[in-house]
Amino acid sequence: MSVALVLVSHSPRLADGLAELTAQMAPDVVVRCAAGDVDGGLGTSLDRVQEAVEAALARTDSVVVLADLGSAVLVVESVLELDPDLPPRVRMVSAPFVEGAVAAAVSAQQGADLDGVAAAAEDAARSIGPEPVYQVVEAAGTGSPPIAGTWAQGEVVPEPGAPSSGAADEVSATVEIRNALGLHARPAAVVARAAADLGVPVTIEGADATSVLALMSLGTTAGQRVTVTARGDGAQGAVALVSGLIEGGFGEA
């Protein structure tokens, strides 16, 4: 199943720029813009949104719609209400416009279905924010067992089921970032697509290697050394592939 994106914005220049950005990271994903009012000025247009959605559906199975501001959201909702056949194939998501579009495009490029692409967009804000800190519920000396996920006194306790470092099936390698701008948008997207195809859990400095936003949020720079880690069957090959991409400099070094 292929998923397209429709970008609904008050500004044609904003939507066009974002479409250009997503095309660099997800070249096979269909992206359509519905931006500006009927005269091409700042604003939104129900007709433009309808046309963009129809054009996207003509080439793909389903569509994820992102809107930049409140009135754009209302226009999209109106379009979906006017045509009852659209909701099963068209999903408007509540997500940051730029980060959500990037995450959705990369997820669609990786072959995710409508639910997966929508979830990637909606998860974008969390992906670039700080990870929560988990600590034991009871203070030391109470005799109660620690419960993960609650703030209290005591040592940090990982979430249940979280992989532990140093596992027998874990493979790691340390490589040097060669790109002048580090793992910025395009290199991060290349790594994310490659990692998703591997089918093996891979991280870079603890960040999910299949998430372009997580990789970009590392803020890596040229000369920095990062650790690539994979677990499970195929871990050795996964680390070798991702490490090779980074050391190769993505044609920018």
Side-chain angles (χ1 to χ4, degrees), residues 98-115:
V98 175
E99 292 88 347
V102 168
V106 173
S107 179
Q109 180 74 34
Q110 295 170 350
D113 60 10
L114 178 58
D115 290 338

Side-chain angles (χ1 to χ4, degrees), residues 172-176 226-228 237-248:
S172 297
T174 301
V175 294
E176 181 178 332
V226 297
T227 299
V228 180
V239 168
L241 176 60
V242 174
S243 297
L245 288 173
I246 295 173
E247 289 184 320

Side-chain angles (χ1 to χ4, degrees), residues 13-129:
R13 294 173 64 184
L14 174 59
D16 290 343
L18 183 53
E20 180 182 11
L21 177 63
T22 58
Q24 289 294 312
M25 294 182 281
D28 299 324
V29 176
V30 174
V31 179
R32 292 290 179 267
C33 298
D37 60 19
V38 291
D39 298 319
L42 292 177
T44 53
S45 163
L46 186 143
D47 289 341
R48 285 179 180 266
V49 174
Q50 287 178 320
E51 291 170 359
V53 169
E54 290 172 359
L57 286 175
R59 296 188 55 190
T60 58
D61 300 307
S62 53
V63 174
V64 164
V65 183
L66 294 100
D68 62 353
L69 296 172
S71 57
V73 172
L74 295 177
V75 171
V76 176
E77 290 177 342
S78 297
V79 169
L80 296 178
E81 290 173 359
L82 288 171
D83 188 346
D85 292 331
L86 290 181
R89 300 177 62 195
V90 180
R91 184 90 51 86
M92 181 171 63
V93 295
S94 177
F97 193 54
V98 175
E99 292 88 347
V102 168
V106 173
S107 179
Q109 180 74 34
Q110 295 170 350
D113 60 10
L114 178 58
D115 290 338
V117 174
E122 293 172 341
D123 197 44
R126 187 196 64 79
S127 296
I128 61 175

Side-chain angles (χ1 to χ4, degrees), residues 174-198:
T174 301
V175 294
E176 181 178 332
I177 300 291
R178 301 187 183 279
N179 302 68
L181 299 178
L183 293 178
H184 61 91
R186 191 185 68 82
V190 172
V191 171
R193 293 199 300 267
D197 290 340
L198 291 170

Side-chain angles (χ1 to χ4, degrees), residues 205-223:
E205 289 297 295
D208 179 5
T210 66
S211 170
V212 64
L213 295 179
L215 296 180
M216 291 171 64
S217 70
L218 290 174
T220 55
T221 56

